[in-house]
């Protein structure tokens, strides 16, 4: 080795040392996150899911998703059951039988069943935000077209498409499950589900006891013109909510699914594989039966209560709707209480504790 060789190697050695020093100072590349900090305490081991629920907080991503979730589901109920308190008026205007009215109600519920099967895998692939926004906007269109109904068949078809709005329940529950950790996710799911279901009661009151009589006044007491135009209101609210949700919320704590996949933080998911995995799990079908028993009763009440009170107790459309709304108001506390008990059961005995609470 001569001095010339040492001088030749010295710049290379210094460059390597500088690179190593830079690595030590900067560390390994950080995982992609849309937000550098959160308003709520999070659990890094659970993908930055929130450990608390702050109801008066609207910050992104956790609580913004929470409020968009329940409000989106609430608006879906506003769309879905906007016709229910007006069924007696529709029946009288079109000369429909009780059987034809019930057929339309059954079809309206059937529309959501097929949508929910499809929306679960859609959430796994795209997150809850996009399907929620798209479905609210899509279901608002047939809701606005309610006034064009002129037959029993037309009523059944329009309610079939409006009923797809009920599929937003899937996104509602998926979204909060994605945002909140296991210690509080039962309460989060219950609150957004319950407050969303509250829309079934509020709709009876708003549509039947407030907007319908207001539109009758506008049309000089013409009840038929009133029911044919009043459903434009929930359609506008639903469509506007869908657009708002798309732009102001996030799919997951660390960002939107598209961005997470682009940065390699999240793997691509097959919707078909997701559906097969859920459908082949026996627990799915046990839950299916339990949910059909409880939510099936609620849907029956939402569809039938106002019509029943008007026919059996000779109430006006406005008063029958007000009485029918009382049933839906129970969601304000009933579901939240169930979620709270589920979380307490989970803290005591894990998933078995949740099953005890449900039983």
């Amino acid at each position: 080795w001569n001095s010339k060789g040492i001088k030749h190697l010295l710049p290379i050695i210094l460059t390597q040392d500088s690179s190593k020093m830079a690595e030590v100072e900067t560390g390994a590349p950080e995982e992609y996150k849309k937000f550098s900090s959160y308003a709520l305490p999070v659990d890094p081991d659970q993908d930055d899911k929130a450990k608390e629920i702050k109801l008066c907080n609207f910050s992104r991503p956790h609580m913004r998703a929470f409020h968009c979730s329940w409000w989106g589901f609430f608006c879906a109920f506003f769309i879905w059951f906007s016709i229910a308190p007006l069924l007696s008026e529709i029946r009288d205007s079109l000369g429909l039988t009780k059987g034809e009215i019930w057929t339309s109600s059954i079809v309206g519920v059937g529309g959501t069943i097929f949508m929910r099967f499809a929306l679960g895998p859609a959430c796994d692939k795209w997150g809850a935000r996009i399907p929620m926004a798209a479905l609210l906007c899509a279901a608002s269109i047939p809701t606005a077209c309610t006034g064009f109904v002129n037959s029993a068949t037309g009523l059944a078809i329009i309610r079939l498409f409006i009923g797809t709005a009920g599929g937003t329940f899937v996104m509602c529950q998926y979204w909060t499950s994605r945002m909140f950790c296991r210690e509080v996710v039962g309460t989060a799911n219950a609150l957004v589900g319950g407050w969303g279901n509250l829309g079934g009661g509020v709709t009876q009151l708003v549509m039947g006891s407030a907007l319908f009589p207001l539109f009758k006044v506008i049309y000089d007491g013409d009840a038929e013109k009133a029911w044919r135009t009043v459903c434009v209101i929930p359609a506008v609210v639903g469509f506007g909510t869908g657009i708002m949700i798309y732009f102001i919320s996030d799919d997951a704590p660390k960002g939107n699914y598209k961005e997470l996949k682009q940065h390699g933080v999240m793997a691509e998911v097959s919707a078909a594989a997701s559906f097969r995995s859920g459908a082949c799990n026996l627990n799915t079908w046990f839950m299916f039966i339990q949910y059909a028993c409880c939510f099936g009763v609620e849907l029956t009440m939402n569809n039938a209560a106002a019509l029943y009170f008007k026919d059996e107790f000779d109430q006006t459309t406005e008063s029958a709707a007000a009485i029918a709304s009382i049933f839906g108001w129970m969601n304000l506390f009933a579901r939240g209480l169930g979620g709270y008990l589920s979380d307490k059961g989970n803290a005591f005995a894990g998933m078995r504790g949740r099953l005890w609470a449900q039983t």
Side-chain angles (χ1 to χ4, degrees):
W1 293 85
N2 55 34
S3 58
K4 185 177 181 181
I6 292 173
K7 289 179 181 179
H8 177 71
L9 290 173
L10 188 59
I12 298 175
I13 294 170
L14 291 174
T15 302
Q16 291 174 342
D17 288 342
S18 299
S19 299
K20 290 178 180 178
M21 287 297 293
E23 288 177 5
V24 171
E25 290 174 359
T26 61
E30 291 186 2
E31 184 182 55
Y32 170 80
K33 290 183 182 181
K34 183 175 181 179
F35 303 96
S36 58
S37 62
Y38 305 109
L40 303 182
V42 301
D43 186 348
D45 295 329
Q46 295 187 53
D47 205 24
D48 285 359
K49 293 181 180 181
K51 298 191 290 185
E52 295 179 1
I53 302 170
K54 295 183 179 180
L55 297 180
C56 295
N57 188 300
F58 294 85
S59 61
R60 300 174 76 165
H62 304 93
M63 291 310 300
R64 182 72 61 83
F66 177 93
H67 290 295
C68 284
S69 180
W70 78 260
W71 177 247
F73 191 38
F74 181 97
C75 290
F77 260 88
F78 192 30
I79 291 170
W80 194 4
F81 291 102
S82 58
I83 290 179
L86 309 176
L87 284 174
S88 61
E89 300 291 341
I90 296 173
R91 178 192 60 190
D92 295 342
S93 295
L94 303 182
L96 305 180
T97 65
K98 182 182 289 188
E100 289 170 330
I101 290 293
W102 269 106
T103 297
S104 75
S105 296
I106 293 169
V107 171
V109 173
T112 191
I113 296 173
F114 297 103
M115 285 302 298
R116 291 190 181 194
F117 278 116
L119 288 169
C123 285
D124 286 333
K125 187 172 182 63
W126 295 296
R129 178 180 59 96
I130 294 175
M132 173 80 86
L135 187 54
L136 282 172
C137 291
S140 296
I141 297 172
T143 304
C145 295
T146 300
F148 296 115
V149 170
N150 285 305
S151 66
T153 302
L155 180 63
I157 292 173
I158 204 80
R159 296 195 74 184
L160 172 67
F161 288 104
I162 294 173
T164 59
T168 53
F169 177 71
V170 177
M171 287 78 83
C172 169
Q173 298 295 282
Y174 182 94
W175 213 349
T176 44
S177 296
R178 194 72 178 83
M179 289 290 181
F180 294 89
C181 66
R182 68 177 70 92
E183 289 79 9
V184 297
V185 71
T187 303
N189 285 352
L191 286 173
V192 296
W195 292 358
N197 268 31
L198 179 63
V202 174
T203 299
Q204 302 275 355
L205 192 63
V206 172
M207 292 296 293
S209 302
L211 291 178
F212 176 67
L214 175 63
F215 274 62
K216 277 205 300 184
V217 171
I218 293 173
Y219 291 111
D220 296 324
D222 191 328
E224 181 171 355
K225 285 184 179 180
W227 74 255
R228 285 187 181 278
T229 54
V230 71
C231 285
V232 171
I233 302 299
V236 171
V237 173
F239 197 90
T241 295
I243 294 174
M244 178 188 72
I245 285 175
Y246 180 81
F247 286 106
I248 71 167
S249 57
D250 310 282
D251 297 333
K254 295 180 180 179
N256 293 327
Y257 275 25
K258 182 179 180 181
E259 298 161 356
L260 295 176
K261 291 172 183 178
Q262 287 175 344
H263 288 85
V265 179
M266 182 180 180
E268 187 64 57
V269 176
S270 167
S274 173
F275 179 82
R276 284 195 302 270
S277 176
C280 293
N281 189 324
L282 186 61
N283 292 320
T284 300
W285 298 102
F286 283 126
M287 300 299 290
F288 170 85
I289 295 170
Q290 291 184 5
Y291 189 60
C293 292
C294 66
F295 193 53
V297 172
E298 182 174 359
L299 293 181
T300 302
M301 289 293 293
N302 286 337
N303 274 310
L307 192 62
Y308 173 79
F309 287 124
K310 182 173 182 179
D311 290 346
E312 295 297 322
F313 299 99
D314 199 27
Q315 298 291 309
T316 64
T317 297
E318 293 83 352
S319 61
I323 298 169
S325 73
I326 297 173
F327 179 80
W329 283 95
M330 289 193 297
N331 284 293
L332 190 61
F333 66 90
R335 279 207 179 192
L337 179 60
Y340 175 77
L341 294 175
S342 178
D343 282 336
K344 290 298 182 183
N346 177 69
F348 179 73
M351 181 55 72
R352 187 170 295 277
R354 294 194 187 277
L355 294 175
W356 288 341
Q358 177 158 322
T359 302

